[in-house]
Every structure is written in structure tokens, then in C-alpha cells.
Amino acid sequence: MSNSREALEEALSHHRESLEQLENMVNNYIQETSAETSTPAHMPVNTPVTWYMPLIEITYFVAAVLFILGLKKMSSPVTARNGIVWAGVGMVIATLATFFYPHMSNYVLIILGVAIGGGAAWWTAKRVAMTDMPQMIAMYNGLGGGAAAAIAAVELLKGTDHPLSVQTLAVLGALIGCVAFSGSVIAYAKLDGLMKTAVRFNNQQLINLAVFVITALMGMLVIYQGADAHPVLIILFFALALSFGVLMGLPIGGADMPVVISLFNALTGLAVGFEGFVLGNAAMIIAGTVVGSAGTLLTQLMAKAMNRPIGNILFKSFGATETEAVGEVEGSMKEVEASDAAVMMAYAGQVVIVPGYGMAVAQAQHKIWELSKALIDRGVRVKFAIHPVAGRMPGHMNVLLAEAGVPYDLIFDMDEINAEFEQTDVAVVIGANDVVNPSARKNPESPIYGMPILNVDKAHNTIVIKRGQGKGFSGIENLLFYADNTRMLYGDGQKAAAELLQQLKEL
């Protein structure tokens, strides 16, 4: 009996050891699988996953949701301010969560970088004039692309043996981020007046194509060599990518800047999304994808508003150089005094105001709104008509009018207002040019033919507030200025609006 009991205990002991070995094997397999699926690509596969990693991922998810909701709210002027706050809170949450990421170090440098970057952004945002908002947006777009390219540079220069997919995404993010950064710098220089004209030279597109092909080949070589890629090769790849961004932006004229800014915004989002995959960062992936998608859609909408494909904008450069108008212009520009213009507006049933970049330059939005309120007090219906590509960035005119206090229900998009011009007694154009040029409808040989415009020429009377008799960025004459029902009120936009207001009060 004793022998059988000992034999049974020995069998159970061996069985228990086998079960323990099996349990250890299963646990090891689970840990390895978890490390492979949840550990970021830049961390070793055998890095242990800490207990708070799921909490960090949930925090990133919350931040991403706030990004999406914030962007959604930014689509309406009424909720745009709250949208910016929501997205900002999401960014703060994502930044704080990053401090708890496994194997993080150099906290002093991180905090110093956040302090310098945040402080500089706060200072510039407080000081920037509304007229300088387009160039600030262009620069911030570029900084996002530059940050994505910097992440790629660190990952590629470390010499880590990344999987092929991660190495490919790192190189793609580097290329796109560099183009967005250097191209945005050129856009900033043009919007800020540091570059007065577009730069064009012989065989420019062929040279651009050659630079792009060489850059792409070097990028493919970096992908192929992986961890063995020489630092000199990587640095040359980045230098060429930055050069291509500069070459891409040089020939693009001021009239195309809204589309170009949207495009660089899309590229920045795409680069951030790619680098998010490289780092295994869910917040970067989602935020980059959302920004890239929104920027792409906005770019397509802006290009459609100009009736020009994106390739034509990038490679034809409609606004790059001055060209003479095709065909003869009949009639002459007819000047009007502020007193007569005030009378026309005071006794009108409806006045539609069409702002453009000239209003931004003159900072006339506040005086225009004062003039509008005076007309409304006299019983005149006042509306504002906004063309999608008016100004130098998407939504430029909407931002200026909102800053002046114009109610949102008085601001109408082109599609909403165009049918009303035929019933409008007076249309007032201040600083807009190509977006109200009837050549887009009437002259098949015009460079802007086919571009949707505001039908200002169909109003009973039109008053154009303009500094002089110059042409728009397209370099062609505006037929509206020569129409029989158009009168020109020459002078600075703000002073002209103030004079109109004064004359209106004296009636």
C-alpha cells in the first residue's frame, strides 16, 4: 500500500511540474505577443509592458477624440472658438501622457522644449496682427511638418533595425514633412512680403522633377539598407527633400496661396500620421490622419472654387507672373465721390459687401462694420458675400469679419448669395479683384475662365473701393471695373469706409 502511495505521489509531482512548465510557456508566449503588438516600433520587442500602458493608450484615445470633436467645431464660425479650446485640451492631455511613457528620459530637455515652444507660440499669437494671420498659419503648418521630419531623422540616424514597413513609413514621413516645412517657409516669405514676386526660370519643372526623382531614389536606398544606411546618405536625403519643398513653392503666386496653405496643411498631417506609426503613438496617428484628411478635402474644395486642378496650381502658377489681358477692354473706369456713393447706399433696399485681400491690408474691417451698422439703422438690408479663395488663407475674410464683430448670420458663402445679386441695389467691393471678374464667365481666352465668381456685375449698381487702377494677382484686367453700372471709389480702404460713414451720417 505504501509503495503504491509513493508511486502515486511521484506521478502527481511529475504531473505538477509539467503543468508548471506548461503554465510558464503560456505566460511567456502571452508576454512576447503583447510586446510585439503593443510595444512601439522604436522600442525593443522584449521591452516589458508596464501596468499603466493601457491607461496611457486610453489617454491618447481621449486626446484623439478631443482633436476630432475640436476640428468638427472649427467647421462653424459659431463654435470655432470652443473647437480650438477642445483641441488644445486634447494636446495638453497627450503631452502629459507622454511623460509617463516607458523608458522616457531627458525630462529636463523635454520640459525646456515645451516651455520654449509654448512660450514663443503664446507670445507670437498675442502680438500678431489679423493682417499677418495667413503667414503665421503658414509657418505653424510648416513647423508641424518639420517636427515630423525631425522624428524621422532621429529614428533613421539611430541605426535601429526597424521592420520594412516601419522603415518605409519613416522615410515617407521624412520626405513629406520636409516638403511641408520648407514649402511653408517659402509661403511665409511671400505672404510676409520678404519675397515680392514668384521665382521662375527656364526648365524649372524639369529641374524640380529631377530633384524629386533623385530624392525618391535616395529614400528607397535608405529603406533598402535599413539600419546599415550611412548617416551621410540620410543627411543628403533630407537636404534634397528640403530643397524640393523650396523649389515647389518658388513659382507659386499670391493668388494661389490659399490652396497651397491647405495643401501643406494636408502634407503636415500625413507626415505626422506616418511618424505616429513609427513611434506606435495612437494620438499622433489619429490626429495626423484627421488633419491630413481635412487638409486634403479643403485643398480640393479650394481648387474647385478656382476651377483649376491642383496640378495646374502647383505647376502652371496662375498667379506667378504678370500677363496682359487677352482681348480688348471696352469702356472706362468711372470715378465716384464718397458723398454720391453714400447716397446710393443710404437709399438702397439691399447692400451686399464683398471683402477681399485689400480689406485685410487696409485693416478696414472695423470701419466696414460701422458703416454696415449705420445702414442697418436706416432700414437697409446688409449682407456680406465671401468667395472661398478670397484673401491669402482659407477662411481669411471670415476671420477678419468675426474679429470686427460682424454677426455670423450676415455672412454668406458664394453659393448662398450669388442668386441675390440680381435683386441687390448696391454691391460694395472692397479689396476683391479676381473673384469678382466677369472675364471668368465671358472670356474663354482669359486665364481665369471657368472659375466660379461672385456675380457682383449683376447687381443694379456696384461701388469698388480700390487704391488705384492696378490689376489683380492674375495679371489681367477686371471687366467689372469698366462696366456701365460700376463706379470706382479710389483710396485706402479704411479711409474710404470712414468717409462713407461720415457722409452717411450727414444725410
Side-chain angles (χ1 to χ4, degrees):
M1 186 72 176
S2 175
N3 292 336
S4 61
R5 181 180 299 174
E6 291 177 359
L8 179 60
E9 289 179 354
E10 184 177 358
L12 289 174
S13 176
H14 286 302
H15 185 60
R16 190 180 299 111
E17 291 178 1
S18 299
L19 288 175
E20 290 176 353
Q21 290 177 359
L22 179 61
E23 182 180 4
N24 290 333
M25 291 173 62
V26 171
N27 288 334
N28 290 335
Y29 175 78
I30 291 174
Q31 290 177 3
E32 290 176 2
T33 304
S34 300
E36 290 176 358
T37 55
S38 62
T39 301
H42 71 293
M43 294 172 60
V45 172
N46 59 356
T47 299
V49 180
T50 57
W51 63 269
Y52 52 82
M53 269 301 295
L55 184 60
I56 293 176
E57 295 300 329
I58 292 173
T59 304
Y60 281 152
F61 177 76
V62 172
V65 170
L66 289 174
F67 292 154
I68 296 173
L69 293 177
L71 187 62
K72 173 63 177 175
K73 285 181 172 291
M74 291 180 206
S75 63
S76 169
V78 179
T79 57
R81 186 184 296 272
N82 289 335
I84 293 172
V85 173
W86 283 39
V89 171
M91 182 57 68
V92 171
I93 291 174
T95 302
L96 292 177
T98 304
F99 280 91
F100 298 94
Y101 219 68
H103 300 283
M104 287 293 292
S105 59
N106 294 326
Y107 289 107
V108 174
L109 288 178
I110 296 173
I111 294 173
L112 184 62
V114 171
I116 294 174
W122 182 86
W123 185 76
T124 54
K126 280 288 187 180
R127 292 177 56 88
V128 67
M130 291 303 296
T131 51
D132 295 334
M133 193 63 69
Q135 46 264 50
M136 189 183 78
I137 297 299
M139 180 53 69
Y140 281 177
N141 280 345
L143 290 176
I151 292 173
V154 170
E155 291 300 317
L156 294 173
L157 289 171
K158 282 197 307 185
T160 305
D161 191 12
H162 292 298
L164 179 62
S165 59
V166 174
Q167 187 81 358
T168 302
L169 290 175
V171 170
L172 285 175
L175 174 60
I176 297 171
C178 285
V179 171
F181 173 71
S182 57
S184 295
V185 170
I186 298 300
Y188 170 86
K190 290 184 176 182
L191 292 168
D192 201 50
L194 300 177
M195 292 182 65
K196 301 297 184 182
T197 60
V199 178
R200 306 197 75 188
F201 46 84
N202 293 333
N203 300 318
Q204 186 170 22
Q205 302 305 336
L206 289 176
I207 294 174
N208 290 359
L209 179 61
V211 172
F212 176 77
V213 170
I214 296 173
T215 305
L217 290 174
M218 295 186 72
M220 293 171 64
L221 188 58
V222 172
I223 294 172
Y224 176 75
Q225 293 185 353
D228 297 327
H230 198 280
V232 174
L233 173 64
I234 297 173
I235 292 172
L236 286 175
F237 164 72
F238 275 88
L240 283 173
L242 291 169
S243 300
F244 178 72
V246 172
L247 292 172
M248 182 178 170
L250 285 178
I252 299 175
D256 296 325
M257 276 303 149
V259 185
V260 173
I261 290 176
S262 298
L263 177 61
F264 286 146
N265 181 47
L267 293 178
T268 293
L270 190 60
V272 170
F274 283 165
E275 299 309 324
F277 277 105
V278 174
L279 297 181
N281 189 305
M284 287 180 63
I285 294 171
I286 297 174
T289 302
V290 170
V291 171
S293 301
T296 301
L297 289 173
L298 183 58
T299 302
Q300 292 175 340
L301 290 173
M302 302 287 280
K304 182 179 179 181
M306 299 178 70
N307 194 37
R308 298 172 63 214
I310 296 175
N312 181 274
I313 293 171
L314 295 177
F315 304 121
K316 292 290 185 180
S317 303
F318 151 107
T321 55
E322 296 271 331
T323 58
E324 294 299 323
V326 178
E328 296 182 0
V329 178
E330 298 180 357
S332 60
M333 296 185 186
K334 295 165 281 292
E335 188 174 358
V336 66
E337 296 296 328
S339 56
D340 296 330
V343 170
M344 293 170 61
M345 298 169 67
Y347 296 101
Q350 175 167 291
V351 172
V352 175
I353 300 174
V354 181
Y357 184 60
M359 185 187 77
V361 173
Q363 301 185 44
Q365 61 269 24
H366 293 279
K367 283 299 178 183
I368 287 293
W369 175 228
E370 290 181 33
L371 175 64
S372 301
K373 288 189 290 184
L375 290 171
I376 293 172
D377 291 341
R378 295 181 66 95
V380 180
R381 293 189 307 276
V382 177
K383 297 182 178 182
F384 290 81
I386 308 296
H387 193 281
V389 295
R392 291 296 173 268
M393 71 175 184
H396 193 181
M397 296 300 105
N398 301 75
V399 170
L400 291 177
L401 294 178
E403 189 250 350
V406 178
Y408 303 123
D409 57 354
L410 297 184
I411 302 174
F412 296 86
D413 293 332
M414 178 177 63
D415 294 335
E416 298 174 319
I417 197 71
N418 256 351
E420 295 193 28
F421 278 109
E422 293 183 0
Q423 291 80 43
T424 298
D425 297 298
V426 179
V428 180
V429 179
I430 173 167
N433 201 324
D434 297 320
V435 297
V436 296
N437 192 342
S439 295
R441 287 199 317 264
K442 299 178 179 180
N443 187 358
E445 297 180 351
S446 172
I448 63 171
Y449 181 72
M451 182 179 83
I453 63 168
L454 290 163
N455 296 329
V456 174
D457 59 316
K458 296 183 179 181
H460 300 167
N461 296 282
T462 301
I463 299 171
V464 177
I465 300 175
K466 201 171 184 295
R467 283 182 176 274
Q469 299 184 354
K471 303 172 185 177
F473 275 100
S474 63
I476 65 174
E477 293 286 2
N478 194 332
L479 297 183
L480 176 69
F481 301 162
Y482 297 86
D484 293 335
N485 62 337
T486 298
R487 297 295 182 269
M488 307 295 294
L489 179 59
Y490 295 114
D492 175 79
Q494 185 175 162
K495 293 180 180 179
E499 190 173 358
L500 284 172
L501 178 61
Q502 182 62 35
Q503 294 293 333
L504 190 65
K505 290 179 178 179
E506 294 178 358
L507 291 176

